[in-house]
Protein backbone atom coordinates (compact mmCIF):
# COMPACT_ATOMS: atom_id res chain seq x y z
CA UNK A 1 0.00 0.00 0.00
CA UNK A 2 1.08 3.54 -0.73
CA UNK A 3 -0.19 6.90 0.43
CA UNK A 4 0.90 10.40 -0.53
CA UNK A 5 0.74 13.09 2.15
CA UNK A 6 2.86 15.74 0.45
CA UNK A 7 -0.09 17.84 -0.76
CA UNK A 8 -1.65 18.34 2.70
CA UNK A 9 -0.67 19.72 6.09
CA UNK A 10 -0.76 18.36 9.64
CA UNK A 11 -2.96 16.72 10.83
CA UNK A 12 -4.42 15.61 7.47
CA UNK A 13 -1.03 14.01 6.72
CA UNK A 14 -1.47 11.68 9.66
CA UNK A 15 -5.19 11.15 8.98
CA UNK A 16 -4.31 9.78 5.52
CA UNK A 17 -1.76 7.40 7.00
CA UNK A 18 -4.18 6.31 9.73
CA UNK A 19 -7.01 5.65 7.26
CA UNK A 20 -4.65 3.74 4.91
CA UNK A 21 -3.39 1.57 7.80
CA UNK A 22 -6.96 0.89 8.91
CA UNK A 23 -7.75 -0.64 5.54
CA UNK A 24 -4.72 -3.00 5.73
CA UNK A 25 -4.12 -6.35 7.42
CA UNK A 26 -1.70 -6.78 10.32
CA UNK A 27 1.83 -7.36 9.02
CA UNK A 28 1.26 -5.53 5.73
CA UNK A 29 3.53 -2.65 4.77
CA UNK A 30 2.59 0.93 3.98
CA UNK A 31 4.83 3.37 2.14
CA UNK A 32 3.89 6.95 2.95
CA UNK A 33 5.39 9.76 0.90
CA UNK A 34 5.99 12.64 3.28
CA UNK A 35 7.57 16.08 3.21
CA UNK A 36 10.75 17.03 5.05
CA UNK A 37 10.56 19.25 8.12
CA UNK A 38 7.62 18.90 10.48
CA UNK A 39 6.10 15.80 8.78
CA UNK A 40 9.47 14.00 8.80
CA UNK A 41 9.87 14.84 12.47
CA UNK A 42 6.36 13.95 13.64
CA UNK A 43 4.81 11.29 11.39
CA UNK A 44 7.18 8.41 12.33
CA UNK A 45 6.54 9.16 16.01
CA UNK A 46 2.75 9.37 15.49
CA UNK A 47 2.73 6.01 13.68
CA UNK A 48 4.63 4.41 16.55
CA UNK A 49 2.32 6.00 19.13
CA UNK A 50 -0.56 4.21 17.39
CA UNK A 51 1.27 0.92 17.89
CA UNK A 52 2.74 0.44 14.40
CA UNK A 53 6.37 -0.28 13.52
CA UNK A 54 8.52 2.16 11.52
CA UNK A 55 10.78 0.02 9.32
CA UNK A 56 12.75 2.77 7.64
CA UNK A 57 12.87 6.23 6.11
CA UNK A 58 14.49 6.90 2.73
CA UNK A 59 14.98 10.17 0.89
CA UNK A 60 13.59 10.61 -2.63
CA UNK A 61 15.30 12.56 -5.43
CA UNK A 62 12.68 15.34 -5.16
CA UNK A 63 13.48 16.01 -1.50
CA UNK A 64 10.44 14.15 -0.12
CA UNK A 65 10.81 11.03 2.03
CA UNK A 66 9.37 7.54 1.99
CA UNK A 67 8.25 6.34 5.39
CA UNK A 68 7.90 2.55 5.62
CA UNK A 69 5.39 1.40 8.22
CA UNK A 70 4.43 -2.13 9.18
CA UNK A 71 0.83 -2.37 10.38
CA UNK A 72 0.67 -3.85 13.88
CA UNK A 73 -2.42 -4.75 15.90
CA UNK B 1 -16.51 2.01 4.10
CA UNK B 2 -13.53 4.06 2.93
CA UNK B 3 -13.25 7.79 3.36
CA UNK B 4 -13.00 10.30 0.56
CA UNK B 5 -10.27 12.93 0.88
CA UNK B 6 -12.99 15.41 1.78
CA UNK B 7 -14.31 13.18 4.55
CA UNK B 8 -10.79 12.65 5.87
CA UNK B 9 -10.41 16.41 6.08
CA UNK B 10 -13.89 17.12 7.48
CA UNK B 11 -13.57 14.51 10.21
CA UNK B 12 -9.79 14.79 10.72
CA UNK B 13 -10.07 15.99 14.34
CA UNK B 14 -12.18 12.93 15.15
CA UNK B 15 -10.04 10.48 13.20
CA UNK B 16 -6.84 11.50 15.00
CA UNK B 17 -8.49 10.90 18.39
CA UNK B 18 -7.55 7.44 19.64
CA UNK B 19 -11.03 7.02 21.15
CA UNK B 20 -12.80 7.80 17.85
CA UNK B 21 -10.36 7.01 15.04
CA UNK B 22 -11.36 5.53 11.70
CA UNK B 23 -13.68 3.00 13.31
CA UNK B 24 -15.53 5.52 15.48
CA UNK B 25 -16.06 7.89 12.59
CA UNK B 26 -17.45 5.03 10.52
CA UNK B 27 -19.78 4.16 13.42
CA UNK B 28 -20.97 7.78 13.50
CA UNK B 29 -21.58 7.81 9.75
CA UNK B 30 -23.65 4.64 10.05
CA UNK B 31 -25.59 5.81 13.14
CA UNK B 32 -29.19 7.01 13.27
CA UNK B 33 -30.15 9.55 15.94
CA UNK B 34 -33.58 11.09 16.47
CA UNK B 35 -33.84 14.51 18.07
CA UNK B 36 -37.30 15.23 19.46
CA UNK B 37 -37.70 18.98 19.75
CA UNK B 38 -35.99 21.46 17.41
CA UNK B 39 -35.88 24.07 20.17
CA UNK B 40 -33.29 25.14 22.70
CA UNK B 41 -31.91 21.68 23.49
CA UNK B 42 -32.35 20.30 20.00
CA UNK B 43 -30.52 23.23 18.38
CA UNK B 44 -26.98 22.53 19.60
CA UNK B 45 -27.57 18.78 19.59
CA UNK B 46 -28.65 18.83 15.94
CA UNK B 47 -25.85 21.16 14.86
CA UNK B 48 -23.11 19.19 16.61
CA UNK B 49 -24.38 15.78 15.52
CA UNK B 50 -24.64 17.00 11.93
CA UNK B 51 -21.13 18.43 12.11
CA UNK B 52 -19.89 15.18 13.66
CA UNK B 53 -21.14 13.21 10.68
CA UNK B 54 -23.92 11.22 12.31
CA UNK B 55 -25.14 9.70 9.06
CA UNK B 56 -28.88 9.82 9.65
CA UNK B 57 -30.49 12.46 11.87
CA UNK B 58 -34.22 12.62 12.44
CA UNK B 59 -35.68 15.84 13.79
CA UNK B 60 -39.21 16.03 15.15
CA UNK B 61 -41.16 19.17 16.06
CA UNK B 62 -44.64 20.54 15.41
CA UNK B 63 -43.86 24.25 15.89
CA UNK B 64 -42.96 27.07 13.56
CA UNK B 65 -40.07 29.42 14.27
CA UNK B 66 -41.14 32.39 16.39
CA UNK B 67 -39.17 35.56 17.15
CA UNK B 68 -39.24 34.66 20.87
CA UNK B 69 -37.34 31.42 20.12
CA UNK B 70 -34.23 33.10 18.76
CA UNK B 71 -32.75 34.11 22.13
CA UNK B 72 -31.74 30.47 22.66
CA UNK B 73 -32.70 28.26 19.68
CA UNK B 74 -29.52 28.87 17.75
CA UNK B 75 -30.27 26.55 14.83
CA UNK B 76 -32.89 29.05 13.60
CA UNK B 77 -32.32 32.52 12.15
CA UNK B 78 -34.40 35.67 11.94
CA UNK B 79 -35.11 34.87 8.29
CA UNK B 80 -36.61 31.53 9.37
CA UNK B 81 -39.47 33.09 11.37
CA UNK B 82 -42.72 31.49 10.22
CA UNK B 83 -41.06 28.35 8.82
CA UNK B 84 -41.59 24.93 10.39
CA UNK B 85 -38.77 24.41 12.88
CA UNK B 86 -37.91 21.05 11.32
CA UNK B 87 -37.43 22.69 7.90
CA UNK B 88 -35.31 25.48 9.33
CA UNK B 89 -33.24 22.98 11.34
CA UNK B 90 -32.74 20.74 8.32
CA UNK B 91 -31.44 23.66 6.24
CA UNK B 92 -28.95 24.64 8.95
CA UNK B 93 -27.71 21.06 9.41
CA UNK B 94 -27.43 20.44 5.68
CA UNK B 95 -25.50 23.69 5.27
CA UNK B 96 -22.96 22.50 7.83
CA UNK B 97 -22.73 18.98 6.45
CA UNK B 98 -24.18 17.96 3.08
CA UNK B 99 -22.70 14.51 3.73
CA UNK B 100 -25.58 13.34 5.96
CA UNK B 101 -29.20 12.29 5.59
CA UNK B 102 -31.78 14.36 7.52
CA UNK B 103 -35.32 13.16 8.06
CA UNK B 104 -37.93 15.65 9.26
CA UNK B 105 -40.95 14.67 11.34
CA UNK B 106 -43.25 17.71 11.32
CA UNK B 107 -45.84 17.15 14.01
CA UNK B 108 -46.36 16.37 17.68
CA UNK B 109 -45.14 13.08 19.06
CA UNK B 110 -48.10 11.30 20.64
CA UNK B 111 -48.99 7.82 21.80
CA UNK B 112 -50.46 7.16 18.35
CA UNK B 113 -47.19 7.76 16.47
CA UNK B 114 -44.28 7.54 18.93
CA UNK B 115 -43.47 3.86 18.36
CA UNK B 116 -43.12 4.17 14.60
CA UNK B 117 -41.27 7.47 14.97
CA UNK B 118 -38.52 6.10 17.22
CA UNK B 119 -38.31 2.62 15.66
CA UNK B 120 -35.66 3.30 12.97
CA UNK B 121 -33.25 5.06 15.33
CA UNK B 122 -30.31 3.87 17.48
CA UNK B 123 -30.46 6.71 20.03
CA UNK B 124 -33.01 9.38 20.88
CA UNK B 125 -32.42 12.87 22.22
CA UNK B 126 -35.37 14.14 24.21
CA UNK B 127 -35.26 17.91 23.94
CA UNK B 128 -38.91 18.74 24.50
CA UNK B 129 -40.36 21.58 26.55
CA UNK B 130 -43.23 19.87 28.38
CA UNK B 131 -43.80 17.10 30.88
CA UNK B 132 -46.39 15.08 28.91
CA UNK B 133 -43.91 14.70 26.03
CA UNK B 134 -41.04 13.84 28.40
CA UNK B 135 -43.03 11.04 30.03
CA UNK B 136 -44.35 9.81 26.67
CA UNK B 137 -40.83 9.61 25.21
CA UNK B 138 -39.48 7.93 28.33
CA UNK B 139 -42.21 5.30 28.33
CA UNK B 140 -41.93 4.62 24.60
CA UNK B 141 -38.13 4.31 24.75
CA UNK B 142 -38.25 2.01 27.80
CA UNK B 143 -40.93 -0.19 26.20
CA UNK B 144 -39.07 -0.32 22.86
CA UNK B 145 -35.69 -0.81 24.60
CA UNK B 146 -34.23 2.34 22.99
CA UNK B 147 -31.49 4.33 24.68
CA UNK B 148 -32.18 8.03 25.07
CA UNK B 149 -30.96 11.21 26.70
CA UNK B 150 -33.35 13.36 28.71
CA UNK B 151 -32.59 17.06 29.00
CA UNK B 152 -34.43 19.66 31.08
CA UNK B 153 -33.87 23.37 31.59
CA UNK B 154 -35.46 26.14 33.64
CA UNK B 155 -34.17 29.61 34.47
CA UNK B 156 -30.47 29.16 35.38
CA UNK B 157 -30.64 25.41 35.94
CA UNK B 158 -30.30 22.40 33.70
CA UNK B 159 -30.25 18.65 34.05
CA UNK B 160 -29.70 15.55 31.98
CA UNK B 161 -29.97 11.81 32.34
CA UNK B 162 -29.07 8.96 30.00
CA UNK B 163 -31.21 5.85 29.82
CA UNK B 164 -29.81 2.63 28.40
CA UNK B 165 -32.03 -0.47 28.69
CA UNK B 166 -30.99 -2.60 31.64
CA UNK B 167 -28.31 -0.19 32.80
CA UNK B 168 -30.03 2.06 35.31
CA UNK B 169 -33.07 4.13 36.10
CA UNK B 170 -35.45 5.68 33.60
CA UNK B 171 -36.90 9.20 33.83
CA UNK B 172 -40.06 7.81 35.48
CA UNK B 173 -38.01 6.03 38.17
CA UNK B 174 -37.01 9.48 39.37
CA UNK B 175 -39.99 11.71 38.59
CA UNK B 176 -42.85 9.16 38.77
CA UNK B 177 -45.47 11.35 37.03
CA UNK B 178 -45.87 14.88 35.62
CA UNK B 179 -46.33 17.56 38.30
CA UNK B 180 -49.89 18.86 38.75
CA UNK B 181 -50.58 21.86 36.50
CA UNK B 182 -50.47 24.34 39.41
CA UNK B 183 -46.95 23.15 40.29
CA UNK B 184 -45.67 23.86 36.79
CA UNK B 185 -43.98 27.27 36.66
CA UNK B 186 -46.27 30.12 35.65
CA UNK B 187 -45.43 32.23 32.63
CA UNK B 188 -43.64 34.81 34.76
CA UNK B 189 -41.48 32.07 36.31
CA UNK B 190 -40.71 30.15 33.15
CA UNK B 191 -37.78 32.12 31.79
CA UNK B 192 -34.55 30.48 30.76
CA UNK B 193 -31.08 31.91 30.21
CA UNK B 194 -30.15 31.51 26.56
CA UNK B 195 -26.94 29.55 27.02
CA UNK B 196 -28.52 26.93 29.28
CA UNK B 197 -30.00 24.77 26.48
CA UNK B 198 -26.71 25.23 24.63
CA UNK B 199 -24.84 23.55 27.46
CA UNK B 200 -27.35 20.81 28.23
CA UNK B 201 -28.14 20.06 24.57
CA UNK B 202 -24.41 19.81 23.80
CA UNK B 203 -23.98 17.35 26.67
CA UNK B 204 -26.85 15.30 25.26
CA UNK B 205 -25.11 15.20 21.87
CA UNK B 206 -21.92 14.10 23.65
CA UNK B 207 -23.81 11.23 25.28
CA UNK B 208 -25.15 10.18 21.86
CA UNK B 209 -21.62 10.13 20.40
CA UNK B 210 -20.27 8.16 23.37
CA UNK B 211 -23.08 5.66 23.04
CA UNK B 212 -22.54 5.24 19.29
CA UNK B 213 -18.78 4.81 19.57
CA UNK B 214 -18.86 2.85 22.86
CA UNK B 215 -16.30 5.17 24.44
CA UNK B 216 -16.06 6.37 28.03
CA UNK B 217 -18.73 6.12 30.69
CA UNK B 218 -22.25 7.20 29.91
CA UNK B 219 -24.30 9.14 32.43
CA UNK B 220 -26.51 6.07 32.99
CA UNK B 221 -27.33 5.68 36.68
CA UNK B 222 -26.78 9.36 37.37
CA UNK B 223 -28.40 12.72 36.90
CA UNK B 224 -26.09 15.58 36.00
CA UNK B 225 -27.31 18.97 37.15
CA UNK B 226 -25.89 22.36 36.27
CA UNK B 227 -26.46 25.50 38.31
CA UNK B 228 -25.29 28.42 36.21
CA UNK B 229 -25.54 31.02 38.98
CA UNK B 230 -23.38 28.96 41.31
CA UNK B 231 -21.23 27.74 38.39
CA UNK B 232 -21.51 24.18 39.62
CA UNK B 233 -22.09 20.78 38.09
CA UNK B 234 -23.30 17.93 40.29
CA UNK B 235 -23.53 14.27 39.37
CA UNK B 236 -26.12 12.57 41.55
CA UNK B 237 -26.18 8.78 41.75
CA UNK B 238 -29.67 7.37 41.15
CA UNK B 239 -31.09 3.88 41.30
CA UNK B 240 -33.64 2.02 39.27
CA UNK B 241 -36.94 1.71 41.19
CA UNK B 242 -38.33 -1.82 41.44
CA UNK B 243 -41.81 -0.33 41.57
CA UNK B 244 -41.33 2.01 38.57
CA UNK B 245 -44.58 2.02 36.56
CA UNK B 246 -42.77 1.41 33.28
CA UNK B 247 -39.36 -0.20 33.94
CA UNK B 248 -40.08 -1.86 37.31
CA UNK B 249 -40.73 -5.49 38.13
CA UNK B 250 -44.48 -5.34 37.62
CA UNK B 251 -45.01 -2.43 35.21
CA UNK B 252 -48.52 -0.98 34.98
CA UNK B 253 -47.61 0.91 31.79
CA UNK B 254 -47.26 -1.51 28.91
CA UNK B 255 -47.99 0.83 26.02
CA UNK B 256 -47.26 4.57 25.58
CA UNK B 257 -50.09 6.94 26.51
CA UNK B 258 -50.73 10.69 26.38
CA UNK B 259 -51.05 13.00 29.38
CA UNK B 260 -53.14 16.08 28.93
CA UNK B 261 -51.02 19.07 27.96
CA UNK B 262 -50.77 22.05 30.28
CA UNK B 263 -50.26 25.58 29.00
CA UNK B 264 -47.25 27.82 29.41
CA UNK B 265 -44.54 25.23 29.90
CA UNK B 266 -41.07 26.23 28.99
ZN1 LIG C 1 -38.17 3.42 35.54
Amino acid sequence: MQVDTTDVLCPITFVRIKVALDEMETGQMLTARINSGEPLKNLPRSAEEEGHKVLGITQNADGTYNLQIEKCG
Amino acid sequence: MTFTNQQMERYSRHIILKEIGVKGQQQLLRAKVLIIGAGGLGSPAALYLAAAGVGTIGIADADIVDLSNLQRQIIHSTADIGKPKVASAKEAMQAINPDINIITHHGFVAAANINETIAPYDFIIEGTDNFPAKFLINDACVLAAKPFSHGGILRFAGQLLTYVPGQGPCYRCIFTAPPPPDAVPSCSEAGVIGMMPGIIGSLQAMEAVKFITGQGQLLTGNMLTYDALATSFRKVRLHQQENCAVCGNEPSITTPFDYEAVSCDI
Side-chain angles (χ1 to χ4, degrees), chain B residues 3-264:
Chain B
F3 292 112
T4 63
N5 278 347
Q6 279 209 342
Q7 285 178 316
M8 279 192 239
E9 195 163 342
R10 179 182 288 277
Y11 306 121
S12 57
R13 267 50 173 194
H14 278 168
I15 293 171
I16 58 179
L17 285 172
K18 283 192 177 64
E19 293 80 359
I20 304 287
V22 174
K23 181 166 156 270
Q25 190 59 49
Q26 286 170 338
Q27 289 171 317
L28 290 170
L29 285 164
R30 278 194 295 262
K32 297 176 179 180
V33 175
L34 174 66
I35 300 163
I36 306 180
L41 295 165
S43 286
L47 293 171
Y48 273 123
L49 293 178
V54 169
T56 303
I57 302 176
I59 182 113
D61 202 302
D63 288 344
I64 60 166
V65 179
D66 186 85
L67 179 57
S68 66
N69 300 148
L70 301 184
Q71 157 261 15
R72 65 198 177 285
Q73 301 183 13
I74 56 168
I75 204 166
H76 311 298
S77 303
T78 304
D80 295 321
I81 292 169
K83 278 189 208 166
K85 284 188 181 176
V86 291
S88 163
K90 180 177 177 166
E91 281 171 27
M93 286 190 276
Q94 208 85 75
I96 288 177
N97 193 348
D99 212 20
I100 60 168
N101 177 31
I102 298 157
I103 299 164
T104 58
H105 304 263
H106 186 207
F108 291 102
V109 290
N113 63 25
I114 185 89
N115 285 339
E116 56 186 290
T117 305
I118 65 174
Y121 295 97
D122 307 315
F123 191 93
I124 290 110
I125 290 182
E126 182 274 291
T128 66
D129 61 356
N130 66 88
F131 289 109
K134 288 178 186 299
F135 279 91
L136 174 73
I137 293 162
N138 177 74
D139 295 350
C141 287
V142 170
L143 293 168
K146 294 275 184 192
F148 78 97
S149 164
H150 147 78
I153 52 169
L154 181 64
R155 296 190 280 269
F156 287 87
Q159 65 182 34
L160 69 153
L161 169 160
T162 303
Y163 172 79
V164 176
Q167 291 182 28
C170 77
Y171 179 73
R172 199 180 273 282
C173 284
I174 296 140
F175 297 106
T176 318
D182 60 2
V184 171
S186 69
C187 296
S188 64
E189 296 169 322
V192 63
I193 189 78
M195 304 79 212
M196 182 56 72
I199 290 160
I200 303 299
S202 299
L203 286 166
Q204 291 183 277
M206 185 74 84
E207 288 291 286
V209 167
K210 283 160 57 195
F211 175 80
I212 292 161
T213 58
Q215 292 300 312
Q217 278 129 36
L218 288 168
L219 188 57
T220 43
N222 295 275
M223 171 93 81
L224 185 65
T225 64
Y226 172 52
D227 177 340
L229 292 177
T231 321
S232 82
F233 281 95
R234 280 183 62 207
K235 196 168 150 184
V236 184
R237 186 113 200 105
L238 299 167
H239 299 282
Q240 192 181 2
Q241 301 299 308
E242 284 179 11
N243 61 352
C244 173
V246 69
C247 81
N249 292 339
E250 289 169 28
S252 56
I253 299 166
T254 54
T255 185
F257 69 98
D258 295 314
Y259 285 99
E260 229 171 281
V262 286
S263 62
C264 221

